[in-house]
Amino acid sequence: MEWLLNTWCGTGYGSRQASQSRMLSSATRASASVKTAGRPGSQLYTVDLEGPDGTDHLPPVVLVHGFGMGLGFWARQLDEIRKHRRVLAFDLPGMGCSDRPKFTGSTTKEAEDYFLGAIRDWQQGMGIQRMILVGHAFGAYLAATYALRYPKSVTQLLLSSPSGLEKYNKYHDHGDVHLIMSVLWRLHVTPQSLVRALGGWMGRLLVRSFAAARFVGESSLSLGQLTDYLYHLWVLRSDAEKPYRLLVGIGGYGRKPLCDRMHKLKAPATFIFGEHDWRSHAPADNLLPRLP
């Protein structure tokens, strides 16, 4: 059935890899080491850039993208950080060009294991002892939970607009749109599943609408380039949507929120929010006095 879906949607691994490569700068493509690491069946597709001479002793920076995205969205950060030290970015399991392992669990712990286990295997496969983790949105959630589970592996955290930071408050008025989206979420309807169902030009049109609303004006990349990349990321079937729904609800609320756990961190954490961010920085403000 996988070949039928790929034919219907006009995609495949080669198309996905090519669209991701086009997201990276020519300098990154020329100097990056591209590899996979981790346990067979859960290997993570990785871009690895060495830092300047004399920086080999520094912990590398590892970039963790958000849900439904890929390492291509770190293109500008890769170019900048490599001027100072080694930097790596990988595609999360079930996303981008990484393996797409099955998920058979039903609990929050099993959902976290799906992602954190793959990252742990990746770290060991890459031979990295300690690292600085930088995560965006769901990637920030995973970076924080990874640091909680493996404190000796993480020297510092940079969390940009983290998902799962606060718990859902049913007494707040979240609006009708939030209610409708929550119902669809429980029915396992995601933007990715809609794109797969529509396929072809209709699926691309949906992705283009999202990319125009989300990225145009904030990225130097063209709308066509962003649409092509997101389309190939979303249209291939992935079990990663199942554990994600067990960890994060509509609106980015945590099923097991970080605000109840991050005081146990050993590594220092820095939060980054935009001027017009989709997430409120208030939970982070409240949490900061309890962090190391």
Side-chain angles (χ1 to χ4, degrees), residues 193-250:
S193 67
L194 288 174
V195 171
R196 286 194 294 271
L198 292 171
W201 69 270
M202 292 184 65
R204 284 183 178 273
L205 184 62
L206 179 62
V207 173
R208 184 181 178 88
S209 299
F210 171 83
R214 175 63 182 85
F215 295 111
V216 169
E218 299 181 16
S219 173
S220 59
L221 299 169
S222 70
L223 179 57
Q225 195 172 1
L226 289 164
T227 299
D228 183 65
Y229 183 46
L230 275 173
Y231 177 78
H232 289 296
L233 291 181
W234 286 10
V235 80
L236 289 173
R237 192 180 304 280
S238 172
D239 263 26
E241 295 164 32
K242 299 175 184 177
Y244 176 76
R245 285 195 303 267
L246 289 171
L247 298 174
V248 179
I250 289 295

Side-chain angles (χ1 to χ4, degrees), residues 25-99:
S25 70
S26 57
T28 295
R29 291 198 299 268
S31 57
S33 173
V34 178
K35 59 192 75 172
T36 58
R39 186 172 301 178
S42 300
Q43 292 192 322
L44 305 186
Y45 185 90
T46 307
V47 167
D48 186 354
L49 287 158
E50 294 296 330
D53 292 342
T55 61
D56 293 348
H57 65 288
L58 298 175
V61 174
V62 176
L63 307 174
V64 189
H65 64 78
F67 174 70
M69 300 298 167
L71 65 83
F73 283 104
W74 291 114
R76 285 188 292 182
Q77 288 76 19
L78 287 167
D79 287 339
E80 184 60 34
I81 296 171
R82 66 189 295 251
K83 299 174 184 177
H84 306 280
R85 65 174 68 202
R86 182 187 181 192
V87 57
L88 305 94
F90 56 71
D91 288 326
L92 286 167
M95 304 182 206
C97 296
S98 290
D99 289 343

Side-chain angles (χ1 to χ4, degrees), residues 7 16 40 69 73 76-77 87 98 102 109 125 133 148 163 166 168 178 184 188 193 207 210 214 216 220 254 259 265:
T7 301
R16 191 181 359 154
M69 300 298 167
F73 283 104
R76 285 188 292 182
Q77 288 76 19
V87 57
S98 290
K102 293 291 185 182
K109 182 181 184 307
L133 279 181
L148 285 166
S163 300
E166 59 182 320
Y168 179 81
H178 185 279
L184 293 173
H188 299 177
S193 67
V207 173
F210 171 83
R214 175 63 182 85
V216 169
S220 59
C259 64
L265 278 174

